[in-house]
């Protein structure tokens, strides 16, 4: 930072020092000069550990009449210089100028004016000296100084030449320079023993003091921290007059400043909190911790409530680079985000001294004044810093951060605060606020345990998700229109979600877009959503409903996702289909706001939904018992029913109660995987409770030559289940995977997802690659993605087979057990087939077997039983 002076001394003339310039860096800011022109201060001249800089002192010779000189001479190598004198309160009335000899070319620079710094900028300390601001001149080995203009000169004037050393540089390349800062008295707070506050903005990459080679032996007093422990404003500085340099030399420049501020000025440490070079490299300045409210010495009178970032270079006549501005934006957003600040907002600061700023505004010590949260040095002190060209850039810079002051306002209507723990049920509704204008925002995501469960656009301020029993960390993540991301501080919700019991219902059609039943009439278009009210149809308070959903008349290959209304649709799909096909699938979907939503990806498609039951955590219901998988019926072999295809209008009735270990009494519903094979005509099959009237609901739809499976949850009324075929003939197979009964020892249901757990195409959950003939992949489910680690008896998965190369089948079975002959999906080449699977969990994993050819498998979890 270049310090202006209250008495308005003119700025130094632009440097004309000749230097060896590096070639412009590549897009990422890296680059360097030719191999034969490596600066001794570049990153190529590395050594490990701290770098000990040196200060070479050369006395100026008084000439009388307010003049003094240091004659042109060869010197020890140096890169930064300044002039100092004994009395810190003394003022040099005349002009101090210096010029240097380039160590490589041997050429002498033009004269540069050294501006006097204010005294006592880092408090009243023993050993303080009066001094000019330091100037970076690059690798040099000669110097000359002249002082002119009359007046009595202070005693002990000397030229201070700083060799910052050549080690541990970590940067890139560029042309900028340096000069000091204005500071107020330090606080005597002890060093913190805990991490600094979490920020809503991401912590930027910062070159640490260790990385830039800070000689910590210069800092034996320890850091100091803001008296109030809160950063309200970030002051932006520039370091002013400089010679061009490579960004690989930036660390050396920072080291030079450090050495000059401590050894020449007599300060406790480097004045700035952060520094940034033209390539955007950020450097940790004053010690104490990047995440801490470290009190620096940068803006006289205002250091007790602020932090600082100084751009290496002079921005009097030209603006800062985009990379440097981005560096300012990142560190300002991070530091203000730690204390609920807004880079585009304002803050109230208390003046630490009586003075005026550059525009003539007067400040009185102890009085409060409003500042912009991102201010220039000149806003608080009488200086042109951060330069006439950088200062106007601050206005646009204030709007370059992520969403600010992002915080959760309420959870389920109860006021929230960071760190609070609030109760919740299965449905979690979160409201949030931000001080950033909606027009600058792209989207918000509701994060539950780190995963996005709901998404809104930039205008959204509320979202709903479904959670399971137990504690969950909840945050909101905002993405600004510029792509930058911020995340609210966490709120904990403790969800009390009782296990849900199943209430079977006689199958009933709730939705048919062909007729306008339940929703508006007409196919669902590309990217469209229809929402179906379901709560009233249950007659209870459902946590989830069981629907048999059928897609028919599709015009393009597509998929349909069924998900809780009011939540954000995940990547999980429930039905996948191609033109001309009718595909059914059973869906267990949580109920939020009393409704469920249906999304079609592309083309148009008609959708049909038949309810077969619901889960509820209030009132009576049935618990689930894993059973099987076991084949109960096969019309091809006469298993369970006579050996013969089911004809047109035909019904076969399968006994289930008291069969093969199924209880003879108390069974309310059975879970069957039903497969239709060898159909002779397009038709459908309905599965319904024996002894009741069949409704219009269907469970399987097929065309000649197809083999189609579908999971069915069917009530048991008289101990039997009936199967109706509409036309033609078809063979039917039924494998039981579980049942619901009035047993007190059965499992209850928990909503979960829909969430993708496995995709062999991408390597999600299992190794990447199709499952080959006879191959098995095993998917961990217990303790994964929010599923409890223990106590899980079964998971509910929507399994999709895609890209099959041969006619085959897939069986899903508990890992650690022997696979039976039961199948869950049957398919032919080129077909994409989904099916819901309720599979027991024995050792925390589930296995998937493919019979022949190869096939990709996808599994989306929709719930579990425990």
């Amino acid at each position: 930072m270049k310090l202006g002076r209250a008495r308005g001394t003119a700025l130094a003339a632009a440097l004309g020092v000749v230097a060896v310039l590096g070639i412009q860096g590549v897009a990422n800011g890296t680059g360097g000069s030719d191999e034969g022109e490596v600066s001794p201060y570049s990153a190529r001249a590395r050594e490990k550990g701290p770098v000990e800089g040196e200060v070479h002192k050369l006395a100026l010779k008084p000439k009388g009449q307010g003049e003094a000189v240091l004659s042109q001479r060869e010197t020890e190598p140096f890169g930064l210089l300044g002039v100092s004198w004994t009395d810190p309160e003394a003022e040099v009335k005349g002009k101090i100028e210096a010029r240097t000899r380039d160590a490589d070319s041997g050429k002498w620079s033009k004269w540069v004016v050294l501006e006097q710094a204010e005294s006592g900028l880092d408090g009243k300390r023993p050993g303080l000296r009066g001094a000019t601001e330091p100037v970076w001149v690059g690798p040099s080995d000669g110097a000359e100084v002249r002082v002119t203009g009359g007046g009595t000169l202070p005693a002990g004037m000397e030229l201070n030449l700083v060799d910052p050393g050549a080690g541990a540089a970590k940067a890139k390349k560029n042309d900028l320079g340096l000069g000091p800062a204005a500071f107020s008295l330090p606080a005597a707070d002890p060093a913190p023993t805990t991490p600094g506050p979490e920020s809503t903005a991401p912590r930027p990459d910062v070159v640490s003091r260790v990385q830039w080679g800070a000689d910590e032996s210069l800092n034996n007093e320890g850091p100091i921290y803001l008296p109030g422990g809160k950063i309200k404003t970030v002051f932006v500085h520039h370091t002013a007059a400089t010679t061009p340099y490579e960004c690989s030399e930036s660390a050396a420049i920072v080291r030079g400043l450090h050495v000059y501020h401590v050894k020449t000025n007599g300060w406790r440490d480097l004045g700035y909190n952060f520094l940034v070079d033209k390539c955007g490299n950020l450097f940790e300045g004053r010690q104490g911790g990047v995440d801490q409210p470290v009190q620096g010495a940068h803006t006289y009178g205002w250091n007790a409530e602020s932090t600082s970032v100084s751009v290496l270079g002079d921005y009097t006549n030209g603006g800062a680079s985009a990379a440097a501005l981005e560096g300012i934006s990142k560190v300002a957003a991070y530091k203000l985000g730690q204390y609920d600040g807004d880079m585009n907002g304002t803050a109230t600061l208390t003046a630490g001294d009586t003075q005026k700023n550059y525009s003539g505004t007067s400040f009185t010590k102890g009085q409060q004044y409003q500042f912009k949260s991102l201010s220039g040095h000149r806003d608080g002190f009488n200086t042109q810093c951060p330069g006439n060209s950088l200062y106007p850039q601050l206005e646009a810079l204030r709007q370059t951060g992520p969403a600010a002051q992002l915080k959760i306002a309420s959870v389920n209507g109860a006021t929230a605060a960071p760190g609070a723990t609030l109760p919740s049920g299965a449905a979690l509704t979160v409201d949030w606020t931000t001080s950033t204008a909606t027009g600058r925002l792209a989207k918000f995501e509701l994060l539950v345990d780190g995963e996005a469960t709901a998404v809104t656009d930039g205008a959204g301020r509320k979202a709903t998700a479904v959670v399971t029993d137990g504690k969950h960390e909840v945050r909101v993540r905002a993405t600004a229109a510029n792509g930058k991301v911020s995340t609210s501080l966490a709120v904990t919700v403790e969800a009390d979600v009782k296990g849900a019991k199943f209430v079977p219902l006689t199958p009933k059609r709730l939705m048919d877009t062909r007729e306008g039943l339940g929703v508006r009439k007409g196919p669902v278009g590309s990217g469209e959503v229809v929402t179906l009210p379901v709560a009233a149809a249950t007659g209870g308070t459902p946590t989830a409903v069981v629907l048999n959903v059928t897609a028919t008349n599709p015009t393009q290959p597509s998929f349909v996702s069924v998900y809780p209304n009011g939540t954000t649709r995940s990547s999980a799909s429930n039905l996948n289909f191609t033109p001309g096909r009718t595909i059914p699938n059973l869906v267990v979907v949580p109920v939020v706001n009393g409704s469920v939503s249906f999304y079609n990806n592309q083309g148009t498609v008609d959708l049909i939904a038949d309810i077969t039951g619901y889960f509820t955590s209030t009132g009576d219901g049935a618990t689930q018992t894993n059973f099987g998988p076991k084949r109960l019926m096969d019309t091809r072999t006469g298993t369970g029913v006579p050996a013969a295809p089911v004809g047109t209008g035909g019904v076969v009735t399968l006994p289930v109660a008291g069969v093969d270990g199924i209880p003879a009494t108390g069974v309310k519903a059975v879970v069957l995987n039903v497969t239709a094979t060898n159909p002779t005509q397009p038709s459908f099959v309905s599965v319904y409770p024996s002894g009741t009237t069949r409704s219009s609901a269907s469970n399987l739809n097929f065309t000649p030559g197809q083999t189609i499976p579908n999971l069915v949850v069917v009530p048991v009324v008289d101990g039997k289940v009936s199967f109706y075929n509409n036309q033609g003939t078809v063979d039917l197979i039924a494998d039981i995977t579980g049942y619901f009964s009035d047993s007190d020892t059965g499992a209850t249901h928990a909503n979960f997802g829909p969430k993708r757990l496995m995709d062999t195409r991408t390597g999600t959950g299992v190794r990447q690659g199709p499952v080959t003939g006879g191959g098995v992949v095993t998917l961990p489910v217990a303790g994964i993605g929010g599923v409890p680690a223990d106590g899980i008896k079964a998971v509910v998965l929507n399994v999709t087979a895609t890209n099959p190369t041969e006619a085959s089948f897939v069986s899903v079975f508990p890992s650690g057990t022997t696979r039976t002959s039961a199948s869950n999906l049957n398919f032919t080449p080129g077909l994409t087939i989904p099916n819901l699977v309720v599979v027991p969990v024995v050792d925390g994993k589930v296995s998937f077997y493919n019979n022949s050819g190869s096939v990709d498998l996808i599994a989306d979890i929709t719930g579990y039983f425990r």
Side-chain angles (χ1 to χ4, degrees), residues 25 31-32 40 70 74 91 168 193 226 231 242 244 252 257 266 278 314 351 354 379 396 476 563 625 726 748 844:
L70 176 72
E74 182 177 346
E91 182 178 349
T193 56
L226 301 187
I231 292 170
T242 185
L257 278 176
K278 186 180 177 183
D314 186 347
T354 298
D379 293 320
V476 174
Y563 60 101
T625 300
N726 188 52
T748 56

Side-chain angles (χ1 to χ4, degrees), residues 50 52 214-220 258 262-263:
E52 185 176 351
D215 180 2
E216 299 295 6
S217 67
L218 301 178
N219 303 90
N220 56 10
H258 180 213
V262 176
K263 288 191 173 182

Side-chain angles (χ1 to χ4, degrees), residues 208-287:
S208 70
R209 289 172 67 96
V210 170
Q211 289 172 312
W212 58 256
D215 180 2
E216 299 295 6
S217 67
L218 301 178
N219 303 90
N220 56 10
E221 301 178 54
I224 54 175
Y225 298 90
L226 301 187
K230 180 177 181 180
I231 292 170
K232 299 180 180 179
T233 298
V234 176
F235 283 104
V236 178
H237 304 256
H238 72 156
T239 56
T242 185
T243 189
Y245 69 96
E246 300 177 22
C247 280
S248 60
E249 296 177 289
S250 298
I253 296 173
V254 175
R255 290 198 303 273
L257 278 176
H258 180 213
V259 172
Y260 188 88
H261 284 178
V262 176
K263 288 191 173 182
T264 296
N265 291 40
W267 298 347
R268 67 166 46 235
D269 193 4
L270 177 59
Y272 308 114
N273 297 99
F274 298 93
L275 303 98
V276 62
D277 67 15
K278 186 180 177 183
C279 296
N281 301 298
L282 280 162
F283 294 83
E284 179 185 8
R286 181 159 285 212
Q287 70 174 193

